[in-house]
Amino acid sequence: MLRDEAPATPMAGCTDLYVALNFGTLAEARFLNLWTLDALRAIEVRSGLLSIGALATYSDIIRSPLVRRRLPMLAAASREVGGAQIQNRGTLGGNVANASPAGDTLPVLAAADAIVVLQSAAGTRRVPFSGFYTGYRRTVRRADELIVRFEIPAVAGRQWFRKVGTRAAQAISKVAIAGIVGDEVRIALGSVAPTVVRASRTEAALARGASVAEAQRTLMDEIAPIDDIRSTAEYRRRVAANLLARLLDRRP
Ligand SMILES: Cc1cc2nc3c(=O)[nH]c(=O)nc-3n(C[C@H](O)[C@H](O)[C@H](O)COP(=O)(O)OP(=O)(O)OC[C@H]3O[C@@H](n4cnc5c(N)ncnc54)[C@H](O)[C@@H]3O)c2cc1C
């Protein structure tokens, strides 16, 4: 249908789409309902990779023993999304496809080096998460493709997710961080640039033995937050640096 009856907008839990319709920012008039495609909901291990279907909801993720064991920071991020209603409807695929830099699962998937699996009538392609976003709310997904699942390699080290918003529930992030601290340190942040960012310069500085203060300076230089309705660039820079120090406190 996406190939033959274009244009059609896929709809999953509709928690973003419905808001866009209400605000009048969504022009498309035809939708393709994915909700009944149970095949896109599975959470399993395939060839050593954690595979999470695009239609897995936050509640599915929070309840999944596999996610809690292999990617606990994704369960932690999911627990902080919206409230119970949003967690029961909102999907991982919707969060990623919606492409907001404030999407809470995006830093987790970036830090975990996830692969986005896209499928169309023509075939399947796997896109590294680091190459999925091309700019503010832009992705490499073609209009005839669906995100069908995410594949996440085993993660070594301690995982940490922290979201800073106006309050603990039902708030859009001002800054979010996902980090992995093991032999190497991996850091990804949301809401500090037009897309989710992997702090690769900061990671490289830490690999060279940089102090926490040096790493914080590199991070503040590396990110590009903006002033907007939710926060200021200066606040976001400082909070990102503080979160980095908290993450590094967790080093073994
Ligand atoms: C009250 C409220 C609170 C919220 N709180 C948070 C929060 O704390 N953190 C957060 O990150 N988000 C939050 N959100 C935003 C939203 O709930 C999430 O982004 C959610 O994951 C979207 O998933 P969905 O299935 O509802 O997507 P939908 O609304 O169905 O779709 C969103 C976009 O993704 C596309 N899409 C969906 N699935 C696919 C697919 N499989 N393949 C290709 N394209 C697809 C759709 O075409 C659409 O463009 C909140 C929303 C509301 C209304």
Side-chain angles (χ1 to χ4, degrees), residues 9-17 19 34 54 58 80-82 86 89-95 97-98 102-105 141 145-147 163 170-171:
T9 301
M11 53 184 238
C14 287
T15 60
D16 278 317
L17 278 178
V19 172
L34 310 179
Y58 297 106
E80 300 212 23
V81 170
I86 298 296
R89 285 293 299 192
T91 64
L92 187 59
N95 202 223
N98 193 54
D104 281 323
T105 65
R141 184 181 78 82
E145 287 177 314
L146 283 182
I147 300 176
K163 159 179 177 170
Q170 301 282 21

PDB file of all heavy atoms in Angstrom, residues 9-17 19 34 54 58 80-82 86 89-95 97-98 102-105 141 145-147 163 170-171, ligand 1:
ATOM      1  N   THR A   9       0.454   8.072   5.276  1.00  0.00           N
ATOM      2  CA  THR A   9       1.262   8.236   6.482  1.00  0.00           C
ATOM      3  C   THR A   9       1.031   7.039   7.406  1.00  0.00           C
ATOM      4  O   THR A   9      -0.113   6.791   7.801  1.00  0.00           O
ATOM      5  CB  THR A   9       0.834   9.524   7.227  1.00  0.00           C
ATOM      6  OG1 THR A   9       1.007  10.624   6.336  1.00  0.00           O
ATOM      7  CG2 THR A   9       1.652   9.735   8.488  1.00  0.00           C
ATOM      8  N   PRO A  10       2.122   6.305   7.743  1.00  0.00           N
ATOM      9  CA  PRO A  10       1.927   5.198   8.675  1.00  0.00           C
ATOM     10  C   PRO A  10       1.475   5.718  10.028  1.00  0.00           C
ATOM     11  O   PRO A  10       1.955   6.760  10.477  1.00  0.00           O
ATOM     12  CB  PRO A  10       3.324   4.558   8.797  1.00  0.00           C
ATOM     13  CG  PRO A  10       4.183   5.201   7.773  1.00  0.00           C
ATOM     14  CD  PRO A  10       3.532   6.471   7.358  1.00  0.00           C
ATOM     15  N   MET A  11       0.555   5.020  10.656  1.00  0.00           N
ATOM     16  CA  MET A  11       0.189   5.409  12.022  1.00  0.00           C
ATOM     17  C   MET A  11       0.333   4.215  12.949  1.00  0.00           C
ATOM     18  O   MET A  11      -0.133   3.117  12.657  1.00  0.00           O
ATOM     19  CB  MET A  11      -1.196   6.032  12.088  1.00  0.00           C
ATOM     20  CG  MET A  11      -2.315   5.246  11.478  1.00  0.00           C
ATOM     21  SD  MET A  11      -3.840   6.209  11.555  1.00  0.00           S
ATOM     22  CE  MET A  11      -4.868   5.092  12.476  1.00  0.00           C
ATOM     23  N   ALA A  12       1.019   4.467  14.063  1.00  0.00           N
ATOM     24  CA  ALA A  12       1.232   3.403  15.052  1.00  0.00           C
ATOM     25  C   ALA A  12       0.351   3.717  16.261  1.00  0.00           C
ATOM     26  O   ALA A  12      -0.869   3.539  16.209  1.00  0.00           O
ATOM     27  CB  ALA A  12       2.712   3.320  15.388  1.00  0.00           C
ATOM     28  N   GLY A  13       0.917   4.233  17.349  1.00  0.00           N
ATOM     29  CA  GLY A  13       0.100   4.539  18.531  1.00  0.00           C
ATOM     30  C   GLY A  13      -0.653   5.860  18.424  1.00  0.00           C
ATOM     31  O   GLY A  13      -1.546   6.152  19.211  1.00  0.00           O
ATOM     32  N   CYS A  14      -0.267   6.689  17.456  1.00  0.00           N
ATOM     33  CA  CYS A  14      -0.912   7.992  17.166  1.00  0.00           C
ATOM     34  C   CYS A  14      -0.692   9.045  18.256  1.00  0.00           C
ATOM     35  O   CYS A  14      -1.360  10.080  18.233  1.00  0.00           O
ATOM     36  CB  CYS A  14      -2.409   7.833  16.944  1.00  0.00           C
ATOM     37  SG  CYS A  14      -2.754   7.078  15.382  1.00  0.00           S
ATOM     38  N   THR A  15       0.223   8.810  19.175  1.00  0.00           N
ATOM     39  CA  THR A  15       0.389   9.786  20.252  1.00  0.00           C
ATOM     40  C   THR A  15       1.115  11.045  19.770  1.00  0.00           C
ATOM     41  O   THR A  15       0.963  12.104  20.364  1.00  0.00           O
ATOM     42  CB  THR A  15       1.131   9.169  21.458  1.00  0.00           C
ATOM     43  OG1 THR A  15       2.418   8.724  21.028  1.00  0.00           O
ATOM     44  CG2 THR A  15       0.356   8.020  22.068  1.00  0.00           C
ATOM     45  N   ASP A  16       1.887  10.944  18.705  1.00  0.00           N
ATOM     46  CA  ASP A  16       2.443  12.147  18.066  1.00  0.00           C
ATOM     47  C   ASP A  16       1.527  12.633  16.945  1.00  0.00           C
ATOM     48  O   ASP A  16       1.273  13.830  16.804  1.00  0.00           O
ATOM     49  CB  ASP A  16       3.844  11.871  17.493  1.00  0.00           C
ATOM     50  CG  ASP A  16       4.936  11.962  18.542  1.00  0.00           C
ATOM     51  OD1 ASP A  16       4.895  12.902  19.354  1.00  0.00           O
ATOM     52  OD2 ASP A  16       5.828  11.106  18.552  1.00  0.00           O
ATOM     53  N   LEU A  17       1.038  11.683  16.152  1.00  0.00           N
ATOM     54  CA  LEU A  17       0.207  12.068  14.999  1.00  0.00           C
ATOM     55  C   LEU A  17      -1.028  12.840  15.427  1.00  0.00           C
ATOM     56  O   LEU A  17      -1.403  13.832  14.796  1.00  0.00           O
ATOM     57  CB  LEU A  17      -0.239  10.809  14.247  1.00  0.00           C
ATOM     58  CG  LEU A  17       0.766  10.208  13.271  1.00  0.00           C
ATOM     59  CD1 LEU A  17       0.195   8.944  12.641  1.00  0.00           C
ATOM     60  CD2 LEU A  17       1.133  11.216  12.187  1.00  0.00           C
ATOM     61  N   VAL A  19      -1.525  14.649  18.041  1.00  0.00           N
ATOM     62  CA  VAL A  19      -1.165  16.013  18.460  1.00  0.00           C
ATOM     63  C   VAL A  19      -0.952  16.883  17.220  1.00  0.00           C
ATOM     64  O   VAL A  19      -1.439  18.014  17.133  1.00  0.00           O
ATOM     65  CB  VAL A  19       0.105  15.976  19.345  1.00  0.00           C
ATOM     66  CG1 VAL A  19       0.610  17.384  19.635  1.00  0.00           C
ATOM     67  CG2 VAL A  19      -0.170  15.225  20.644  1.00  0.00           C
ATOM     68  N   LEU A  34      -0.956   0.707  11.308  1.00  0.00           N
ATOM     69  CA  LEU A  34      -0.049  -0.422  11.542  1.00  0.00           C
ATOM     70  C   LEU A  34      -0.427  -1.217  12.791  1.00  0.00           C
ATOM     71  O   LEU A  34       0.136  -2.269  13.043  1.00  0.00           O
ATOM     72  CB  LEU A  34       1.392   0.090  11.758  1.00  0.00           C
ATOM     73  CG  LEU A  34       1.977   1.065  10.745  1.00  0.00           C
ATOM     74  CD1 LEU A  34       3.403   1.454  11.164  1.00  0.00           C
ATOM     75  CD2 LEU A  34       2.002   0.439   9.360  1.00  0.00           C
ATOM     76  N   ALA A  54       9.218  -2.526  15.832  1.00  0.00           N
ATOM     77  CA  ALA A  54       8.899  -1.090  15.818  1.00  0.00           C
ATOM     78  C   ALA A  54       7.616  -0.778  16.571  1.00  0.00           C
ATOM     79  O   ALA A  54       7.448   0.311  17.111  1.00  0.00           O
ATOM     80  CB  ALA A  54       8.796  -0.603  14.374  1.00  0.00           C
ATOM     81  N   TYR A  58       6.008   1.325  24.945  1.00  0.00           N
ATOM     82  CA  TYR A  58       6.834   1.538  26.146  1.00  0.00           C
ATOM     83  C   TYR A  58       6.480   0.514  27.218  1.00  0.00           C
ATOM     84  O   TYR A  58       7.359  -0.007  27.905  1.00  0.00           O
ATOM     85  CB  TYR A  58       6.656   2.966  26.670  1.00  0.00           C
ATOM     86  CG  TYR A  58       7.118   3.983  25.669  1.00  0.00           C
ATOM     87  CD1 TYR A  58       6.215   4.758  24.945  1.00  0.00           C
ATOM     88  CD2 TYR A  58       8.471   4.144  25.398  1.00  0.00           C
ATOM     89  CE1 TYR A  58       6.637   5.651  23.988  1.00  0.00           C
ATOM     90  CE2 TYR A  58       8.912   5.043  24.442  1.00  0.00           C
ATOM     91  CZ  TYR A  58       7.983   5.793  23.748  1.00  0.00           C
ATOM     92  OH  TYR A  58       8.420   6.664  22.790  1.00  0.00           O
ATOM     93  N   GLU A  80       9.997   6.795  31.819  1.00  0.00           N
ATOM     94  CA  GLU A  80       9.866   8.246  31.981  1.00  0.00           C
ATOM     95  C   GLU A  80       9.085   8.908  30.856  1.00  0.00           C
ATOM     96  O   GLU A  80       8.943  10.127  30.829  1.00  0.00           O
ATOM     97  CB  GLU A  80      11.258   8.872  32.094  1.00  0.00           C
ATOM     98  CG  GLU A  80      11.994   8.295  33.284  1.00  0.00           C
ATOM     99  CD  GLU A  80      12.931   9.269  33.923  1.00  0.00           C
ATOM    100  OE1 GLU A  80      12.737  10.487  33.767  1.00  0.00           O
ATOM    101  OE2 GLU A  80      13.871   8.800  34.572  1.00  0.00           O
ATOM    102  N   VAL A  81       8.621   8.110  29.914  1.00  0.00           N
ATOM    103  CA  VAL A  81       7.850   8.690  28.809  1.00  0.00           C
ATOM    104  C   VAL A  81       6.397   8.890  29.254  1.00  0.00           C
ATOM    105  O   VAL A  81       5.766   7.958  29.753  1.00  0.00           O
ATOM    106  CB  VAL A  81       7.888   7.780  27.565  1.00  0.00           C
ATOM    107  CG1 VAL A  81       6.901   8.264  26.517  1.00  0.00           C
ATOM    108  CG2 VAL A  81       9.291   7.736  26.986  1.00  0.00           C
ATOM    109  N   GLY A  82       5.906  10.101  29.071  1.00  0.00           N
ATOM    110  CA  GLY A  82       4.493  10.398  29.291  1.00  0.00           C
ATOM    111  C   GLY A  82       3.957   9.850  30.598  1.00  0.00           C
ATOM    112  O   GLY A  82       4.603   9.911  31.633  1.00  0.00           O
ATOM    113  N   ILE A  86       0.122   6.994  27.610  1.00  0.00           N
ATOM    114  CA  ILE A  86       1.091   7.148  26.511  1.00  0.00           C
ATOM    115  C   ILE A  86       1.991   5.914  26.438  1.00  0.00           C
ATOM    116  O   ILE A  86       2.317   5.424  25.360  1.00  0.00           O
ATOM    117  CB  ILE A  86       1.926   8.436  26.717  1.00  0.00           C
ATOM    118  CG1 ILE A  86       1.030   9.673  26.684  1.00  0.00           C
ATOM    119  CG2 ILE A  86       3.036   8.545  25.667  1.00  0.00           C
ATOM    120  CD1 ILE A  86       0.339   9.945  25.386  1.00  0.00           C
ATOM    121  N   ARG A  89       0.295   3.160  24.470  1.00  0.00           N
ATOM    122  CA  ARG A  89       0.037   3.404  23.040  1.00  0.00           C
ATOM    123  C   ARG A  89       1.297   3.764  22.263  1.00  0.00           C
ATOM    124  O   ARG A  89       1.459   3.372  21.118  1.00  0.00           O
ATOM    125  CB  ARG A  89      -0.954   4.571  22.864  1.00  0.00           C
ATOM    126  CG  ARG A  89      -2.391   4.290  23.157  1.00  0.00           C
ATOM    127  CD  ARG A  89      -3.048   3.333  22.190  1.00  0.00           C
ATOM    128  NE  ARG A  89      -3.064   3.784  20.806  1.00  0.00           N
ATOM    129  CZ  ARG A  89      -3.793   3.208  19.848  1.00  0.00           C
ATOM    130  NH1 ARG A  89      -4.579   2.195  20.138  1.00  0.00           N
ATOM    131  NH2 ARG A  89      -3.739   3.640  18.605  1.00  0.00           N
ATOM    132  N   GLY A  90       2.174   4.555  22.874  1.00  0.00           N
ATOM    133  CA  GLY A  90       3.352   5.048  22.159  1.00  0.00           C
ATOM    134  C   GLY A  90       4.318   3.910  21.856  1.00  0.00           C
ATOM    135  O   GLY A  90       4.517   3.017  22.675  1.00  0.00           O
ATOM    136  N   THR A  91       4.890   3.948  20.662  1.00  0.00           N
ATOM    137  CA  THR A  91       5.785   2.860  20.237  1.00  0.00           C
ATOM    138  C   THR A  91       7.217   3.368  20.035  1.00  0.00           C
ATOM    139  O   THR A  91       7.444   4.561  19.807  1.00  0.00           O
ATOM    140  CB  THR A  91       5.296   2.243  18.912  1.00  0.00           C
ATOM    141  OG1 THR A  91       5.366   3.254  17.879  1.00  0.00           O
ATOM    142  CG2 THR A  91       3.877   1.711  19.025  1.00  0.00           C
ATOM    143  N   LEU A  92       8.144   2.402  20.075  1.00  0.00           N
ATOM    144  CA  LEU A  92       9.550   2.755  19.841  1.00  0.00           C
ATOM    145  C   LEU A  92       9.718   3.254  18.402  1.00  0.00           C
ATOM    146  O   LEU A  92      10.400   4.260  18.155  1.00  0.00           O
ATOM    147  CB  LEU A  92      10.419   1.517  20.105  1.00  0.00           C
ATOM    148  CG  LEU A  92      11.925   1.725  20.084  1.00  0.00           C
ATOM    149  CD1 LEU A  92      12.364   2.752  21.128  1.00  0.00           C
ATOM    150  CD2 LEU A  92      12.661   0.409  20.308  1.00  0.00           C
ATOM    151  N   GLY A  93       9.072   2.556  17.451  1.00  0.00           N
ATOM    152  CA  GLY A  93       9.192   2.980  16.052  1.00  0.00           C
ATOM    153  C   GLY A  93       8.647   4.381  15.841  1.00  0.00           C
ATOM    154  O   GLY A  93       9.227   5.186  15.104  1.00  0.00           O
ATOM    155  N   GLY A  94       7.550   4.709  16.529  1.00  0.00           N
ATOM    156  CA  GLY A  94       6.973   6.045  16.399  1.00  0.00           C
ATOM    157  C   GLY A  94       7.893   7.111  16.966  1.00  0.00           C
ATOM    158  O   GLY A  94       8.040   8.191  16.384  1.00  0.00           O
ATOM    159  N   ASN A  95       8.520   6.817  18.079  1.00  0.00           N
ATOM    160  CA  ASN A  95       9.440   7.778  18.698  1.00  0.00           C
ATOM    161  C   ASN A  95      10.608   8.084  17.753  1.00  0.00           C
ATOM    162  O   ASN A  95      10.977   9.253  17.550  1.00  0.00           O
ATOM    163  CB  ASN A  95       9.963   7.198  20.015  1.00  0.00           C
ATOM    164  CG  ASN A  95      10.493   8.224  20.999  1.00  0.00           C
ATOM    165  OD1 ASN A  95      11.519   8.022  21.610  1.00  0.00           O
ATOM    166  ND2 ASN A  95       9.807   9.345  21.175  1.00  0.00           N
ATOM    167  N   ALA A  97      10.740   7.401  14.345  1.00  0.00           N
ATOM    168  CA  ALA A  97      10.299   7.950  13.052  1.00  0.00           C
ATOM    169  C   ALA A  97       9.857   9.401  13.195  1.00  0.00           C
ATOM    170  O   ALA A  97      10.026  10.205  12.281  1.00  0.00           O
ATOM    171  CB  ALA A  97       9.156   7.111  12.487  1.00  0.00           C
ATOM    172  N   ASN A  98       9.318   9.737  14.339  1.00  0.00           N
ATOM    173  CA  ASN A  98       8.852  11.112  14.554  1.00  0.00           C
ATOM    174  C   ASN A  98      10.006  12.112  14.511  1.00  0.00           C
ATOM    175  O   ASN A  98       9.838  13.271  14.187  1.00  0.00           O
ATOM    176  CB  ASN A  98       8.114  11.191  15.891  1.00  0.00           C
ATOM    177  CG  ASN A  98       7.350  12.469  16.039  1.00  0.00           C
ATOM    178  OD1 ASN A  98       6.548  12.812  15.175  1.00  0.00           O
ATOM    179  ND2 ASN A  98       7.618  13.207  17.103  1.00  0.00           N
ATOM    180  N   ALA A 102      14.041  15.622  20.918  1.00  0.00           N
ATOM    181  CA  ALA A 102      13.718  15.398  22.331  1.00  0.00           C
ATOM    182  C   ALA A 102      13.141  14.008  22.576  1.00  0.00           C
ATOM    183  O   ALA A 102      12.749  13.699  23.700  1.00  0.00           O
ATOM    184  CB  ALA A 102      12.726  16.457  22.816  1.00  0.00           C
ATOM    185  N   GLY A 103      13.103  13.158  21.572  1.00  0.00           N
ATOM    186  CA  GLY A 103      12.587  11.791  21.760  1.00  0.00           C
ATOM    187  C   GLY A 103      13.460  11.063  22.783  1.00  0.00           C
ATOM    188  O   GLY A 103      14.682  10.981  22.615  1.00  0.00           O
ATOM    189  N   ASP A 104      12.838  10.515  23.826  1.00  0.00           N
ATOM    190  CA  ASP A 104      13.640   9.999  24.937  1.00  0.00           C
ATOM    191  C   ASP A 104      14.393   8.711  24.633  1.00  0.00           C
ATOM    192  O   ASP A 104      15.395   8.422  25.268  1.00  0.00           O
ATOM    193  CB  ASP A 104      12.738   9.791  26.161  1.00  0.00           C
ATOM    194  CG  ASP A 104      12.461  11.108  26.864  1.00  0.00           C
ATOM    195  OD1 ASP A 104      13.376  11.950  26.925  1.00  0.00           O
ATOM    196  OD2 ASP A 104      11.335  11.297  27.348  1.00  0.00           O
ATOM    197  N   THR A 105      13.883   7.918  23.679  1.00  0.00           N
ATOM    198  CA  THR A 105      14.610   6.668  23.417  1.00  0.00           C
ATOM    199  C   THR A 105      15.796   6.870  22.477  1.00  0.00           C
ATOM    200  O   THR A 105      16.633   5.988  22.337  1.00  0.00           O
ATOM    201  CB  THR A 105      13.683   5.601  22.794  1.00  0.00           C
ATOM    202  OG1 THR A 105      13.265   6.056  21.499  1.00  0.00           O
ATOM    203  CG2 THR A 105      12.476   5.328  23.672  1.00  0.00           C
ATOM    204  N   ARG A 141      14.692   7.542   5.993  1.00  0.00           N
ATOM    205  CA  ARG A 141      13.560   6.664   5.640  1.00  0.00           C
ATOM    206  C   ARG A 141      12.817   7.197   4.418  1.00  0.00           C
ATOM    207  O   ARG A 141      12.452   8.368   4.377  1.00  0.00           O
ATOM    208  CB  ARG A 141      12.584   6.561   6.817  1.00  0.00           C
ATOM    209  CG  ARG A 141      11.435   5.588   6.563  1.00  0.00           C
ATOM    210  CD  ARG A 141      10.480   5.526   7.736  1.00  0.00           C
ATOM    211  NE  ARG A 141       9.574   6.659   7.787  1.00  0.00           N
ATOM    212  CZ  ARG A 141       8.438   6.769   7.077  1.00  0.00           C
ATOM    213  NH1 ARG A 141       8.079   5.808   6.251  1.00  0.00           N
ATOM    214  NH2 ARG A 141       7.678   7.832   7.188  1.00  0.00           N
ATOM    215  N   GLU A 145       8.891   3.136   2.873  1.00  0.00           N
ATOM    216  CA  GLU A 145       9.494   2.208   3.828  1.00  0.00           C
ATOM    217  C   GLU A 145       8.842   2.329   5.203  1.00  0.00           C
ATOM    218  O   GLU A 145       8.467   3.421   5.643  1.00  0.00           O
ATOM    219  CB  GLU A 145      10.990   2.513   4.001  1.00  0.00           C
ATOM    220  CG  GLU A 145      11.843   2.100   2.832  1.00  0.00           C
ATOM    221  CD  GLU A 145      13.300   2.493   3.029  1.00  0.00           C
ATOM    222  OE1 GLU A 145      13.564   3.639   3.442  1.00  0.00           O
ATOM    223  OE2 GLU A 145      14.172   1.663   2.773  1.00  0.00           O
ATOM    224  N   LEU A 146       8.806   1.183   5.890  1.00  0.00           N
ATOM    225  CA  LEU A 146       8.429   1.173   7.303  1.00  0.00           C
ATOM    226  C   LEU A 146       9.670   0.854   8.119  1.00  0.00           C
ATOM    227  O   LEU A 146      10.527   0.092   7.671  1.00  0.00           O
ATOM    228  CB  LEU A 146       7.422   0.060   7.584  1.00  0.00           C
ATOM    229  CG  LEU A 146       5.977   0.259   7.185  1.00  0.00           C
ATOM    230  CD1 LEU A 146       5.184  -0.980   7.621  1.00  0.00           C
ATOM    231  CD2 LEU A 146       5.412   1.512   7.850  1.00  0.00           C
ATOM    232  N   ILE A 147       9.733   1.405   9.322  1.00  0.00           N
ATOM    233  CA  ILE A 147      10.689   0.853  10.284  1.00  0.00           C
ATOM    234  C   ILE A 147      10.041  -0.421  10.792  1.00  0.00           C
ATOM    235  O   ILE A 147       8.886  -0.393  11.249  1.00  0.00           O
ATOM    236  CB  ILE A 147      10.924   1.811  11.464  1.00  0.00           C
ATOM    237  CG1 ILE A 147      11.469   3.148  10.986  1.00  0.00           C
ATOM    238  CG2 ILE A 147      11.880   1.174  12.472  1.00  0.00           C
ATOM    239  CD1 ILE A 147      11.634   4.175  12.109  1.00  0.00           C
ATOM    240  N   LYS A 163      16.862  11.803  32.331  1.00  0.00           N
ATOM    241  CA  LYS A 163      16.138  12.838  31.594  1.00  0.00           C
ATOM    242  C   LYS A 163      15.928  14.014  32.530  1.00  0.00           C
ATOM    243  O   LYS A 163      15.557  13.809  33.692  1.00  0.00           O
ATOM    244  CB  LYS A 163      14.800  12.236  31.169  1.00  0.00           C
ATOM    245  CG  LYS A 163      13.698  13.188  30.834  1.00  0.00           C
ATOM    246  CD  LYS A 163      12.473  12.379  30.413  1.00  0.00           C
ATOM    247  CE  LYS A 163      11.295  13.284  30.117  1.00  0.00           C
ATOM    248  NZ  LYS A 163      10.185  12.556  29.496  1.00  0.00           N
ATOM    249  N   GLN A 170       5.177  13.345  32.239  1.00  0.00           N
ATOM    250  CA  GLN A 170       4.467  14.153  31.244  1.00  0.00           C
ATOM    251  C   GLN A 170       5.211  15.427  30.868  1.00  0.00           C
ATOM    252  O   GLN A 170       4.587  16.456  30.631  1.00  0.00           O
ATOM    253  CB  GLN A 170       3.053  14.542  31.758  1.00  0.00           C
ATOM    254  CG  GLN A 170       2.161  13.373  32.078  1.00  0.00           C
ATOM    255  CD  GLN A 170       1.551  12.743  30.840  1.00  0.00           C
ATOM    256  OE1 GLN A 170       2.067  12.906  29.741  1.00  0.00           O
ATOM    257  NE2 GLN A 170       0.481  12.005  31.000  1.00  0.00           N
ATOM    258  N   ALA A 171       6.545  15.376  30.849  1.00  0.00           N
ATOM    259  CA  ALA A 171       7.300  16.564  30.456  1.00  0.00           C
ATOM    260  C   ALA A 171       8.251  16.206  29.319  1.00  0.00           C
ATOM    261  O   ALA A 171       8.855  15.134  29.328  1.00  0.00           O
ATOM    262  CB  ALA A 171       8.085  17.104  31.641  1.00  0.00           C
TER     263      ALA A 171
HETATM  264  C1  LIG B   1       0.909  13.543  26.575  1.00  0.00           C
HETATM  265  C2  LIG B   1       2.118  13.100  25.800  1.00  0.00           C
HETATM  266  C3  LIG B   1       3.301  12.868  26.485  1.00  0.00           C
HETATM  267  C4  LIG B   1       4.447  12.453  25.780  1.00  0.00           C
HETATM  268  N1  LIG B   1       5.604  12.256  26.477  1.00  0.00           N
HETATM  269  C5  LIG B   1       6.720  11.885  25.820  1.00  0.00           C
HETATM  270  C6  LIG B   1       7.943  11.710  26.525  1.00  0.00           C
HETATM  271  O1  LIG B   1       8.010  11.857  27.744  1.00  0.00           O
HETATM  272  N2  LIG B   1       9.049  11.359  25.809  1.00  0.00           N
HETATM  273  C7  LIG B   1       9.004  11.170  24.451  1.00  0.00           C
HETATM  274  O2  LIG B   1      10.031  10.852  23.849  1.00  0.00           O
HETATM  275  N3  LIG B   1       7.850  11.337  23.746  1.00  0.00           N
HETATM  276  C8  LIG B   1       6.721  11.689  24.413  1.00  0.00           C
HETATM  277  N4  LIG B   1       5.549  11.865  23.697  1.00  0.00           N
HETATM  278  C9  LIG B   1       5.560  11.686  22.239  1.00  0.00           C
HETATM  279  C10 LIG B   1       5.092  10.294  21.740  1.00  0.00           C
HETATM  280  O3  LIG B   1       4.283   9.656  22.700  1.00  0.00           O
HETATM  281  C11 LIG B   1       6.263   9.364  21.378  1.00  0.00           C
HETATM  282  O4  LIG B   1       7.089   9.975  20.425  1.00  0.00           O
HETATM  283  C12 LIG B   1       5.764   8.003  20.840  1.00  0.00           C
HETATM  284  O5  LIG B   1       6.805   7.062  20.910  1.00  0.00           O
HETATM  285  C13 LIG B   1       5.239   8.061  19.410  1.00  0.00           C
HETATM  286  O6  LIG B   1       4.867   6.752  19.038  1.00  0.00           O
HETATM  287  P1  LIG B   1       3.478   6.459  18.314  1.00  0.00           P
HETATM  288  O7  LIG B   1       3.438   4.981  18.082  1.00  0.00           O
HETATM  289  O8  LIG B   1       2.357   7.037  19.066  1.00  0.00           O
HETATM  290  O9  LIG B   1       3.716   7.238  16.948  1.00  0.00           O
HETATM  291  P2  LIG B   1       2.630   7.855  15.928  1.00  0.00           P
HETATM  292  O10 LIG B   1       2.038   9.079  16.497  1.00  0.00           O
HETATM  293  O11 LIG B   1       1.691   6.789  15.461  1.00  0.00           O
HETATM  294  O12 LIG B   1       3.627   8.226  14.732  1.00  0.00           O
HETATM  295  C14 LIG B   1       4.633   9.198  14.884  1.00  0.00           C
HETATM  296  C15 LIG B   1       5.387   9.360  13.565  1.00  0.00           C
HETATM  297  O13 LIG B   1       6.104   8.183  13.251  1.00  0.00           O
HETATM  298  C16 LIG B   1       5.659   7.592  12.014  1.00  0.00           C
HETATM  299  N5  LIG B   1       5.695   6.159  12.254  1.00  0.00           N
HETATM  300  C17 LIG B   1       5.176   5.494  13.320  1.00  0.00           C
HETATM  301  N6  LIG B   1       5.533   4.190  13.266  1.00  0.00           N
HETATM  302  C18 LIG B   1       6.264   4.025  12.153  1.00  0.00           C
HETATM  303  C19 LIG B   1       6.942   2.915  11.557  1.00  0.00           C
HETATM  304  N7  LIG B   1       6.923   1.688  12.106  1.00  0.00           N
HETATM  305  N8  LIG B   1       7.630   3.110  10.425  1.00  0.00           N
HETATM  306  C20 LIG B   1       7.680   4.343   9.862  1.00  0.00           C
HETATM  307  N9  LIG B   1       7.073   5.434  10.368  1.00  0.00           N
HETATM  308  C21 LIG B   1       6.383   5.281  11.497  1.00  0.00           C
HETATM  309  C22 LIG B   1       4.295   8.189  11.777  1.00  0.00           C
HETATM  310  O14 LIG B   1       3.980   8.250  10.395  1.00  0.00           O
HETATM  311  C23 LIG B   1       4.459   9.579  12.376  1.00  0.00           C
HETATM  312  O15 LIG B   1       5.129  10.427  11.457  1.00  0.00           O
HETATM  313  C24 LIG B   1       4.386  12.269  24.375  1.00  0.00           C
HETATM  314  C25 LIG B   1       3.172  12.480  23.693  1.00  0.00           C
HETATM  315  C26 LIG B   1       2.056  12.896  24.382  1.00  0.00           C
HETATM  316  C27 LIG B   1       0.784  13.123  23.632  1.00  0.00           C
END
